[in-house]
Amino acid sequence: MKKMISNLVKENIKSLIPYEVKECETVAKLDANENNNVDYLLNQKIAKALMELKVNQYPDTDCCELRRILGKQLRLSPQQLLIGCGSDQIILMILQAFIGAGDKILIHTPTFGMYKISTQIVGGSTIEVPLGEDFTFDYYNFVKVMKKEAPKVVFLTNPNNPTGGVIPREQIIRIIEHANGIVVIDEAYVEFYGETVLDLVNYYPNLIVLRTLSKGYGLAGARVGYGVASKELMGILYKVKPPYNIGSLSQVAAKVCLENKEMLDRVIKEIIIERDKMADVLSDIPDIKVYKSHGNFLLCKVGKAKEVYQHLADHKVLVRYFGEEGPLKGCIRITIGTKEENQLVVKLLMEALGVTKEIAV
């Protein structure tokens, strides 16, 4: 029976390496770029809003009210917006609409793993262009490969996960203009960067911008992301959107989140200050190289990275460890948490690396 089932599986799925998520008891969970600074901040408001919800009824299939609120805040038509179960689902929708067997996407690497995984699921192939020195974007090489390979979809993550680097606006514009396919700019961490190309969707019909409420706005548990594009492009994506893809509870949580945007924006500013302070502190620790980040995390190359990661895990502090192979070998990614969590990380890193000098946190 097992062999029969195995024979039924598509070949592109057999070789698929799934996206891994670590689950364990922690005192500081700093591996998934969540916003720990808004823990419980909106819970009472969300709970009150949920009391008026009719959970026996199917949710608003197109998230009309949520799109209206977002459209007003972003100065866009609701018809230019699509809500997804996290931006991951919208990535898959884009690929379902445009990528089939033998079609190509183009990405820079390292970057968010779901572009490649989702492309393999739909039967396409991924062309990867390595980032340059210190994980900076290699514009000229990227455009050269794009012109040669003619991908149907290009994904650019800005700021990039897991490196924290950014792509200048003028380079993004030139890539959009040179591309013969769809260009997707993933702005999952835009709140920590401050610069966007959202305004360009009204000028470039092949552009899609992705956003999420999971990172800056601390709504990872509700799984709400959104895409922005021209009305014509959205008309295509709505053809592959599943009905009722966002539950009523998540829609309510997202509305409360957006209605309290000013409160959350203050928290985001505090995280940016703490990120830059944390980068300075970690740079003073021997055997740690900190890469410039515009997200709510820091990528660090660490001596004895595996032992350091294990030391943190032994003390129930979870960070992202990238192993000892590939471009991220010897690297860990640390989410910027609360001040207490950040102080604990620095203390444990120093212990693991045998650093005895005092460093102000």
Side-chain angles (χ1 to χ4, degrees):
M1 182 62 74
K2 285 184 180 180
K3 187 174 181 181
M4 183 195 78
I5 293 172
S6 178
N7 290 337
L8 294 173
V9 178
K10 295 190 296 182
E11 289 301 319
N12 56 303
I13 302 300
K14 285 181 180 179
S15 59
L16 182 67
I17 300 173
Y19 192 91
E20 287 189 24
V21 178
K22 291 274 187 181
E23 295 290 347
C24 61
E25 183 184 352
T26 61
V27 295
K29 188 175 184 297
L30 304 173
D31 67 321
N33 300 340
E34 296 150 334
N35 187 342
N36 293 354
N37 292 266
V38 297
D39 202 13
Y40 302 114
L41 187 63
L42 297 177
N43 279 20
Q44 286 189 343
K45 292 178 182 291
I46 292 171
K48 184 179 179 181
L50 288 174
M51 293 302 292
E52 301 175 8
L53 188 64
K54 295 179 180 178
V55 292
N56 63 303
Q57 297 179 353
Y58 282 105
D60 172 3
T61 188
D62 290 333
C63 304
C64 294
E65 179 64 12
L66 193 52
R67 286 161 60 221
R68 184 193 66 78
I69 295 170
L70 272 170
K72 186 176 180 180
Q73 289 185 0
L74 301 172
R75 298 181 181 179
L76 293 165
S77 164
Q79 286 74 39
Q80 292 179 273
L81 289 154
L82 171 67
I83 311 298
C85 182
S87 53
D88 304 17
Q89 187 182 45
I90 304 177
I91 290 167
L92 185 57
M93 289 182 202
I94 293 167
L95 295 169
Q96 288 171 327
F98 295 103
I99 299 295
D103 291 331
K104 302 171 186 175
I105 74 159
L106 180 66
I107 62 173
H108 52 78
T109 56
T111 192
F112 184 43
M114 287 308 297
Y115 309 133
K116 186 174 182 178
I117 290 172
S118 298
T119 298
Q120 190 169 345
I121 289 171
V122 299
S125 60
T126 301
I127 308 299
E128 303 177 31
V129 180
L131 293 174
E133 187 178 356
D134 287 341
F135 300 122
T136 54
F137 182 67
D138 189 344
Y139 167 76
Y140 294 103
N141 192 34
F142 192 88
V143 171
K144 178 182 176 182
V145 174
M146 184 177 72
K147 289 180 177 180
K148 178 185 176 184
E149 298 290 345
K152 289 183 75 175
V153 180
V154 173
F155 285 98
L156 297 173
T157 317
N158 203 40
N160 187 40
N161 173 28
T163 64
V166 293
I167 306 169
R169 178 185 173 93
E170 59 272 17
Q171 292 184 2
I172 292 175
I173 291 173
R174 290 202 291 269
I175 288 170
I176 296 169
E177 292 177 343
H178 282 110
N180 289 319
I182 305 300
V183 178
V184 182
I185 309 299
D186 191 338
E187 294 187 344
Y189 299 92
V190 69
E191 291 84 9
F192 306 102
Y193 177 38
E195 296 187 25
T196 180
V197 294
L198 200 67
D199 57 298
L200 298 180
V201 297
N202 291 320
Y203 301 97
Y204 294 101
N206 63 328
L207 173 63
I208 302 172
V209 177
L210 299 182
R211 296 271 187 90
T212 181
L213 300 184
S214 295
K215 306 302 182 182
Y217 294 129
L219 215 62
R223 305 299 296 120
V224 179
Y226 61 95
V228 181
S230 66
K231 293 179 183 178
E232 293 74 19
L233 201 44
M234 276 301 166
I236 295 168
L237 294 183
Y238 267 92
K239 290 183 178 183
V240 297
K241 185 191 82 68
Y244 312 120
N245 61 314
I246 307 297
S248 299
L249 281 73
S250 290
Q251 290 190 41
V252 167
K255 290 174 196 173
V256 171
C257 175
L258 292 172
E259 287 165 356
N260 290 273
K261 185 175 177 293
E262 289 184 5
M263 181 193 305
L264 294 167
D265 284 343
R266 287 196 295 271
V267 174
I268 289 167
K269 288 178 182 177
E270 292 170 4
I271 293 172
I272 293 170
I273 292 170
E274 192 70 13
R275 175 197 68 200
D276 294 342
K277 178 182 174 184
M278 185 80 162
D280 290 340
V281 169
L282 292 177
S283 296
D284 284 339
I285 300 176
D287 286 333
I288 295 183
K289 177 178 181 177
V290 182
Y291 295 95
K292 176 67 176 176
S293 175
H294 296 271
N296 66 332
F297 56 85
L298 293 171
L299 182 72
C300 305
K301 193 172 186 65
V302 183
K304 301 178 183 177
K306 187 174 182 179
E307 291 88 340
V308 168
Y309 168 76
Q310 192 58 55
H311 183 71
L312 268 64
D314 290 343
H315 289 79
K316 298 183 179 180
V317 174
L318 193 60
V319 299
R320 182 71 186 272
Y321 167 56
F322 293 100
E324 296 303 319
E325 294 182 1
L328 293 169
K329 63 182 179 182
C331 288
I332 62 172
R333 188 192 63 199
I334 306 167
T335 304
I336 303 303
T338 64
K339 289 183 179 180
E340 293 76 18
E341 288 172 334
N342 298 335
Q343 288 169 356
L344 178 58
V345 168
V346 172
K347 174 179 174 290
L348 292 173
L349 283 171
M350 291 174 66
E351 286 178 4
L353 293 169
V355 178
T356 56
K357 69 174 182 176
E358 288 189 12
I359 295 179
V361 183

